[in-house]
Amino acid sequence: CPLTSGPESESAQEFGRYPNQQNWFPFCKVKRPGEVRKLSWQAVAHGADTVRFFQMKQSLGGCERFHGAVIAHDGTEESRVFKETAALGEELDRIGRRIMGSRIESRVAIMFDWQSYWSLEGCVGPTTGFNYPNEVHRFYRALWRRNVPVDMIASTTPLARLSQYDLAIAPALITVLPGVAETLEAYVADGGTFITGYMAGIHDEHDLVVPGGYPGKLRRLMGVWVEEIDALAPGETIEVHGGTVDAKGEIVASIIHREGAERLATYGGDEFYAGHSALTVNAYGKDKAYFVGTPLDETGMSAFMAPIIKELDLKSLDTPEDVSLSVRYGDGGTRYAFLINNSAADKRLCLSELNGGTELLTGTVINDLIELKPYGVDVIALR
């Protein structure tokens, strides 16, 4: 069944969840009915074997007095949050042991790099527009919307493990730690596909600029020299046009000179670097390295990723907007498909791949039409 999504679970994984609103945002919305249940099952769908909550009782003082809890200031079991938490516990107790120990199978990895997080957001220039998690989301979203499973890994992941993936993506990898460039070169040379781009390779482990031109130690692998980085003001965009991509970039634009890489798309508009490469691909050993010169809008990122997903034959499946599908693989050929409605609206869909499966929470056998309530979850056992 080509219906997979989520990070790998190599052993029992625990997931922490807030039972209601947090307290540190400017506006702290309460979780909507069913939302905490949805988020908890989403964690299980993505590899967690247990779900725990912070916190049991809401504090009477201190900075977290308004942080949500299973037992709120009323001190009763009559609250909506308590009842929803208890009902979730009953569901997990009823079918959780059956699912526990099953695994996610991912062929794609995204490098979430803490040093790049700190370095990128701490930089004074070329822009204040970066939020590192948003850049990770920018790449991940194009895969999530196609229900392609993704593992989150460190940039320092050893070659032996990295080679298990067909595609590795390193969004905004501004800091390249010792040995990482060499590992990535070996990974691509031996048949792995790699994607990085804007702001990559600029700093070393001491947060110092690597001399000799951007993207530093990744320059040979990517086959490009980024001479300058133009900052785009909030709301300002730049056109990007290519064979499969017709999009807009934002935040920064890398002014790229190709050093062996092939051009996939160019900048449009009337800037002096219009016509320069915006997207490139470089053949390196047995495979390729893609350089994304500017943060693409959602449409552009989806169009950029589509041919890569197809070329690598990554199993994907289209589901309605805000409906996600993940699969965990158990022993004996059993698969557990988690169909989740991430919205506050009813959803109706038909997925032939799920026909004949049994929805474990209700015992219903799937036969074409599936209806999901707001924040609804179906856990379907397949053979």
Side-chain angles (χ1 to χ4, degrees), residues 336-358:
Y336 301 100
F338 297 80
L339 196 62
I340 299 177
N341 181 2
N342 296 283
S343 77
D346 290 326
K347 298 289 183 178
R348 294 162 58 92
L349 60 150
C350 295
L351 294 172
S352 61
E353 289 87 349
L354 300 180
N355 286 345
T358 301

Side-chain angles (χ1 to χ4, degrees), residues 48-99:
D49 277 339
T50 65
V51 176
R52 300 192 180 192
F53 287 100
F54 175 86
Q55 53 191 336
M56 176 59 80
K57 295 188 69 175
Q58 201 168 18
S59 62
L60 302 181
C63 66
E64 290 192 332
R65 71 188 71 184
F66 290 113
H67 195 292
V70 176
I71 301 174
H73 289 144
D74 55 40
T76 75
E77 298 180 6
E78 300 304 314
S79 69
R80 175 180 66 87
V81 171
F82 187 94
K83 292 177 180 178
E84 287 190 17
T85 304
L88 171 66
E90 189 277 330
E91 289 182 343
L92 290 167
D93 183 60
R94 182 150 47 93
I95 69 172
R97 288 179 179 83
R98 180 171 177 175
I99 299 167

Side-chain angles (χ1 to χ4, degrees), residues 38-39 42 144 322-324 340-344 347 375-376:
K38 184 272 294 188
L39 290 167
Q42 185 181 60
W144 180 79
D322 293 322
V323 175
S324 62
I340 299 177
N341 181 2
N342 296 283
S343 77
K347 298 289 183 178
Y375 304 118

Side-chain angles (χ1 to χ4, degrees), residues 57-362:
K57 295 188 69 175
Q58 201 168 18
S59 62
L60 302 181
C63 66
E64 290 192 332
R65 71 188 71 184
F66 290 113
H67 195 292
V70 176
I71 301 174
H73 289 144
D74 55 40
T76 75
E77 298 180 6
E78 300 304 314
S79 69
R80 175 180 66 87
V81 171
F82 187 94
K83 292 177 180 178
E84 287 190 17
T85 304
L88 171 66
E90 189 277 330
E91 289 182 343
L92 290 167
D93 183 60
R94 182 150 47 93
I95 69 172
R97 288 179 179 83
R98 180 171 177 175
I99 299 167
M100 185 176 289
S102 58
R103 64 195 180 279
I104 301 292
E105 296 182 356
S106 303
R107 294 169 55 198
V108 180
I110 290 181
M111 293 179 171
F112 191 101
D113 185 71
W114 285 100
Q115 285 78 4
S116 290
Y117 190 164
W118 301 326
S119 183
L120 186 72
E121 296 198 17
C123 274
V124 181
T127 179
T128 60
F130 275 117
N131 175 289
Y132 180 76
N134 285 349
E135 299 313 310
V136 174
H137 294 160
R138 192 184 300 273
F139 286 86
Y140 176 70
R141 189 178 294 111
L143 296 158
W144 180 79
R145 291 200 181 281
R146 292 176 169 86
N147 298 296
V148 174
V150 176
D151 287 354
M152 295 291 170
I153 64 173
S155 70
T156 52
T157 297
L159 179 61
R161 185 182 174 200
L162 186 60
S163 296
Q164 298 173 13
Y165 301 102
D166 296 316
L167 173 62
I169 305 172
L173 189 71
I174 191 171
T175 300
V176 175
L177 297 173
V180 169
E182 292 79 6
T183 296
L184 289 172
E185 287 183 354
Y187 167 73
V188 177
D190 198 37
T193 301
F194 178 61
I195 302 173
T196 191
Y198 48 91
M199 304 303 295
I202 295 175
H203 293 162
D204 65 13
E205 69 273 23
H206 305 294
D207 204 37
L208 298 175
V209 170
V210 177
Y214 316 144
K217 292 182 179 180
L218 300 177
R219 185 169 171 177
R220 180 171 61 181
L221 173 61
M222 306 314 298
V224 298
W225 166 40
V226 177
E227 182 182 5
E228 298 176 275
I229 302 170
D230 192 20
L232 307 178
E236 183 183 3
T237 60
I238 188 164
E239 296 176 8
V240 176
H241 302 294
T244 62
V245 177
D246 187 11
K248 294 184 184 298
E250 61 180 354
I251 307 176
V252 295
S254 307
I255 301 174
I256 296 170
H257 299 272
R258 291 180 293 120
E259 297 180 329
E262 175 188 346
R263 179 184 292 118
L264 296 178
T266 60
Y267 293 118
D270 56 5
E271 288 288 355
F272 71 91
Y273 50 88
H276 277 246
S277 298
L279 303 172
T280 64
V281 60
N282 188 45
Y284 192 91
K286 294 181 181 179
D287 219 290
K288 304 169 186 175
Y290 293 84
F291 193 90
V292 181
T294 181
L296 296 171
D297 59 22
E298 187 170 340
T299 299
M301 184 58 72
S302 179
F304 165 70
M305 292 294 297
I308 299 173
I309 292 171
K310 182 177 180 180
E311 181 177 346
L312 295 176
D313 194 26
L314 300 175
K315 301 301 182 183
S316 64
L317 185 76
D318 289 332
T319 50
E321 184 76 13
D322 293 322
V323 175
S324 62
L325 183 63
S326 307
V327 171
R328 290 177 60 152
Y329 293 79
D331 294 332
T334 302
R335 293 157 293 159
Y336 301 100
F338 297 80
L339 196 62
I340 299 177
N341 181 2
N342 296 283
S343 77
D346 290 326
K347 298 289 183 178
R348 294 162 58 92
L349 60 150
C350 295
L351 294 172
S352 61
E353 289 87 349
L354 300 180
N355 286 345
T358 301
E359 206 290 308
L360 297 180
L361 296 171
T362 64

